Amino acid sequence: DAKTTQPPSMDCAEGRAANLPCNHSTISGNEYVYWYRQIHSQGPQYIIHGLKNNETNEMASLIITEDRKSSTLILPHATLRDTAVYYCIVRGDQAGTALIFGKGTTLSVSS
Amino acid sequence: DGGITQSPKYLFRKEGQNVTLSCEQNLNHDAMYWYRQDPGQGLRLIYYSQIVNDFQKGDIAEGYSVSREKKESFPLTVTSAQKNPTAFYLCASSWDRGWRGTEAFFGQGTRLTVV
């Protein structure tokens, strides 16, 4: 079973920041938080991951709370192309650990 | 270009026939994975492999089989024992050691329709 809880859907206006929350209250010390997104009928695309520090790359920022029980993915200036299903996944770093997907959040960006 | 390739993109088969879905990667990744996705649902893990000649069942392995004879290839066979084979199938690969990064890269999927 997925170890994360996400809202089923969210809306965002184009050009505004999209803040996608994720709860992972049972996360353990060696588990990372990963974010992927899936645009309709395509394979999922890796966005970002982190352990306990906030992370930023060219696509997004990841904010992890101090107790690590929740996180927020931030798309700073959402565009129509960011409309997708966003998956938050908790994964250990040991060998042989597969990604377990939940149902994710459907983000709809509108003009 | 480095990447992961699934073929074909669309596949039609008659009920009762076995069918094999191809997945090839040239990223030199250790681990490979197969997922199934039904409409409006998340991805469910079928099988995964950490190294050549070794693989483990995922959550929904019944009715499927895999092989890992080469590092680059991880074909999935959907057998006649799979009761609802029509679905979108996704293959992925990743390093299997944390210090090299463990993000997974996905292929573009094969949409299998059984009639």
Side-chain angles (χ1 to χ4, degrees), chain A residues 71-84:
Chain A
S71 61
T72 301
L73 178 74
I74 301 172
L75 308 177
H77 306 286
T79 70
L80 298 178
R81 285 193 296 269
D82 292 322
T83 293

Side-chain angles (χ1 to χ4, degrees), chain A residues 6-49:
Chain A
Q6 299 177 253
S9 63
M10 294 184 65
D11 296 318
C12 181
E14 189 176 21
R16 304 298 294 269
N19 298 295
L20 289 85
C22 180
N23 287 322
H24 30 80
S25 57
T26 60
I27 193 169
S28 58
N30 67 341
E31 290 182 318
Y32 286 71
V33 179
Y34 282 78
W35 283 85
Y36 284 78
R37 73 179 183 184
Q38 186 178 25
I39 296 169
H40 184 63
S41 295
Q42 296 183 21
Q45 175 190 25
Y46 165 81
I47 301 173
I48 198 167
H49 75 284

Side-chain angles (χ1 to χ4, degrees), chain A residues 34 36 38 46 91 93 96 99, chain B residues 35 37 48 96 98 102-104:
Chain A
Y34 282 78
Y36 284 78
Q38 186 178 25
Y46 165 81
R91 181 183 187 267
D93 207 29
L99 292 166
Chain B
Y35 291 88
Q37 188 173 35
Y48 65 101
D96 206 34
T102 53
E103 59 266 33

